[in-house]
Amino acid sequence: MSRLAKKPISIPYGTEVINIDFMVSFSGPKGELKYFLHKSIKINIENNLLYVKQNVDIDYNKAILGTTYVILVNMINGVNNGFSKKLILKGVGYKAKIEKNILELSLGYSHPVFYKIPFGINIEVLNNIEVIIAGICKQKVGQVAADIRSKRLPEAYKGKGIRYSDEIILLKETKKK
């Protein structure tokens, strides 16, 4: 059994959890998320505590048990607090702006790069070079941040490109004569 799954998940006040067959629904102040459980996983809700158990004791199910536990914790955290990632554009002339539901990035190419903002994600631009991505689904926020970052990865000599705010880029030394 997963070491994580031995501990119960506490359900905060104001969060509603509904378990119907193999579907779990979480609703809180920020929104609502649904998750479909694997057939070998079951959950029990008792006294504002959520217990994740496995039906059959197989090694494969143990891995799914730990993964399911972490996903459920992230969903509860997401509907209560939400998640956010911050990207920084570094380079001469690099800037971002939002028009309607499209993020427009100037990244040193001969043309602007457009990114359509998916449903459930909020993007905010600060100082034309800081992009904050927020939402209730941790996986979706991380995927959107990775998609935007992939438009211009940081390069190794000057560090120009799109980077996470907490990312450290190791710069290479230039050639010497």
Side-chain angles (χ1 to χ4, degrees):
M1 183 172 180
S2 166
R3 284 192 217 168
L4 282 176
K6 290 180 182 177
K7 298 184 291 185
I9 303 169
S10 65
I11 302 170
Y13 179 76
T15 304
E16 185 180 346
V17 180
I18 300 170
N19 182 19
I20 302 172
D21 293 332
F22 291 108
M23 193 214 35
V24 185
S25 174
F26 300 98
S27 60
K30 296 270 186 179
E32 183 177 345
L33 291 173
K34 293 180 182 176
Y35 182 69
F36 291 95
L37 297 169
H38 190 267
K39 61 186 175 193
S40 65
I41 304 294
K42 64 180 178 179
I43 63 169
N44 297 328
I45 303 167
E46 300 171 4
N47 301 334
N48 285 341
L49 294 174
L50 184 81
Y51 296 94
V52 182
K53 306 282 183 196
Q54 58 184 354
N55 288 337
V56 184
D57 192 22
I58 302 174
D59 286 341
Y60 175 71
N61 294 343
K62 291 177 184 176
I64 293 176
L65 185 66
T67 302
T68 302
Y69 178 88
V70 172
I71 289 172
L72 296 178
V73 168
N74 287 337
M75 289 183 141
I76 289 175
N77 195 8
V79 297
N80 286 306
N81 304 325
F83 294 100
S84 67
K85 288 217 177 239
K86 184 176 180 182
L87 298 175
I88 296 174
L89 283 65
K90 184 168 183 190
V92 176
Y94 287 20
K95 60 183 176 180
K97 66 179 178 178
I98 296 177
E99 288 185 16
K100 297 181 183 173
N101 200 24
I102 296 175
L103 177 67
E104 182 181 337
L105 302 164
S106 298
L107 300 173
Y109 296 122
S110 61
H111 58 282
V113 177
F114 298 101
Y115 184 79
K116 188 175 183 305
I117 301 171
F119 179 75
I121 297 293
N122 297 323
I123 295 183
E124 184 181 342
V125 177
L126 305 173
N127 305 335
N128 290 334
I129 59 166
E130 296 178 0
V131 179
I132 298 174
I133 302 155
I136 61 173
C137 181
K138 186 174 185 178
Q139 188 272 334
K140 203 171 190 181
V141 168
Q143 186 62 51
V144 169
D147 289 345
I148 293 172
R149 183 177 179 269
S150 71
K151 303 297 182 193
R152 185 71 144 192
L153 295 173
E155 54 103 5
Y157 292 99
K158 292 184 181 176
K160 294 181 357 180
I162 303 174
R163 65 174 75 180
Y164 296 110
S165 64
D166 56 350
E167 183 177 16
I168 297 171
I169 306 295
L170 297 175
L171 298 179
K172 290 183 178 178
E173 195 172 325
T174 58
K175 291 184 179 179
K176 296 179 183 176
K177 287 189 175 184

